[in-house]
Amino acid sequence: KAGVTQTPRYLIKTRGQQVTLSCSPISGHRSVSWYQQTPGQGLQFLFEYFSETQRNKGNFPGRFSGRQFSNSRSEMNVSTLELGDSALYLCASRRSSGGVTKNIQYFGAGTRLSVL
Amino acid sequence: AQTVTQSQPEMSVQEAETVTLSCTYDTSESDYYLFWYKQPPSRQMILVIRQEAYKQQNATENRFSVNFQKAAKSFSLKISDSQLGDAAMYFCAYNGAGNMLTFGGGTRLMVKP
């Protein structure tokens, strides 16, 4: 079974631009969550999507948005990029129903975003 | 809000020896899950072990085991027979009703040959 796939692996953007990151969950997983990892703030929760609906949102400005498609694939968008948005963005999927593993989140390899 | 604290930014262990990484958390919830994730230089976050709060028995996965003290809100990870491949950042994580993971700051584990 394929794992969580994130594309692209690396991105370089300039301030003011916008960026879209993609995440394909493990087959059969309906929940996708996004996290931001920076040296200063550590790992922080951005949002969770389930069945195309945002279920939870972390404490991030409205420039950060996301969506989920009917095949459970998810995209994350950051508009008007700032230098502080440089980070590793991690996507995680989980089954979310049935069985003892429903609460386990499986992570992708991340997208490294550099804002110049 | 839940918080997770890892008080050891860095730890070092000799190959084949045992090391324990500490984690404490704060929550008012009674039903939750705790996890240890490993992040090697490749940056891929890998699940090491998980513990359901309602279970009194400590989880074990091969060389990895936890000491879960619910009343003390403590969740330490013990790595036995340490191997060079165990060198990585280790993150303790809490998962409560919101289904979002709250992470500790991480512990960098170095393994000396």
Side-chain angles (χ1 to χ4, degrees), chain B residues 86-98:
Chain B
D86 294 333
M89 283 290 290
Y90 286 81
F91 292 95
C92 177
Y94 173 99
N95 184 351

Side-chain angles (χ1 to χ4, degrees), chain A residues 25-32 48-52 68 72 93-97:
Chain A
I26 293 172
S27 177
H29 287 197
R30 298 169 63 192
S31 166
V32 173
E48 180 199 12
Y49 285 87
F50 177 80
S51 291
E52 303 178 64
Q68 187 180 34
S72 295
S93 75
R94 67 183 180 92
R95 198 150 47 88
S96 75
S97 66

Side-chain angles (χ1 to χ4, degrees), chain A residues 35 37 56 94 105 107, chain B residues 37 39 44 50 98-99 101:
Chain A
Y35 295 85
Q37 185 175 22
N56 278 305
R94 67 183 180 92
Q105 295 193 29
F107 285 82
Chain B
Y37 281 91
Q39 188 179 42
Q44 176 93 44
R50 78 176 190 276
N99 285 319
L101 289 172

Side-chain angles (χ1 to χ4, degrees), chain A residues 13 21 49 59 64 74 85 94 98 110 112:
Chain A
K13 293 287 187 179
L21 313 182
Y49 285 87
N59 189 24
F64 291 81
S74 177
D85 297 333
R94 67 183 180 92
R112 167 79 63 188

Side-chain angles (χ1 to χ4, degrees), chain A residues 1-2 4 21-22 30 32 45 54 61 66 82 93 101 107 116:
Chain A
K1 203 181 230 188
V4 178
L21 313 182
S22 180
R30 298 169 63 192
V32 173
F45 171 78
Q54 186 181 91
E82 300 178 358
S93 75
T101 62
F107 285 82
L116 306 179

Side-chain angles (χ1 to χ4, degrees), chain B:
Chain B
Q2 293 77 29
T3 58
V4 179
T5 302
Q6 294 179 247
S7 59
Q8 307 150 315
E10 251 183 34
M11 292 281 286
S12 180
V13 63
Q14 205 71 35
E15 198 176 3
E17 295 194 341
T18 296
V19 64
T20 299
L21 309 185
S22 301
C23 172
T24 58
Y25 59 95
D26 189 25
T27 184
S28 58
E29 297 175 321
S30 57
D31 189 19
Y32 51 87
Y33 296 79
L34 295 165
F35 302 88
W36 279 97
Y37 281 91
K38 167 186 176 181
Q39 188 179 42
S42 68
R43 309 301 275 181
Q44 176 93 44
M45 198 77 81
I46 301 164
L47 176 68
V48 175
I49 198 166
R50 78 176 190 276
Q51 174 80 43
E52 293 88 344
Y54 63 86
K55 287 187 177 179
Q56 292 187 337
Q57 188 173 9
N58 290 321
T60 299
E61 286 287 342
N62 301 314
R63 298 183 294 108
F64 300 87
S65 62
V66 298
N67 183 2
F68 174 49
Q69 302 288 327
K70 190 173 184 178
K73 295 179 182 172
S74 170
F75 182 61
S76 60
L77 173 70
K78 185 171 86 170
I79 306 173
S80 304
D81 186 25
S82 296
Q83 300 174 0
L84 294 177
D86 294 333
M89 283 290 290
Y90 286 81
F91 292 95
C92 177
Y94 173 99
N95 184 351
N99 285 319
M100 67 189 81
L101 289 172
T102 301
F103 287 91
T107 296
R108 180 176 302 281
L109 178 66
M110 294 174 287
V111 181
K112 297 178 181 176

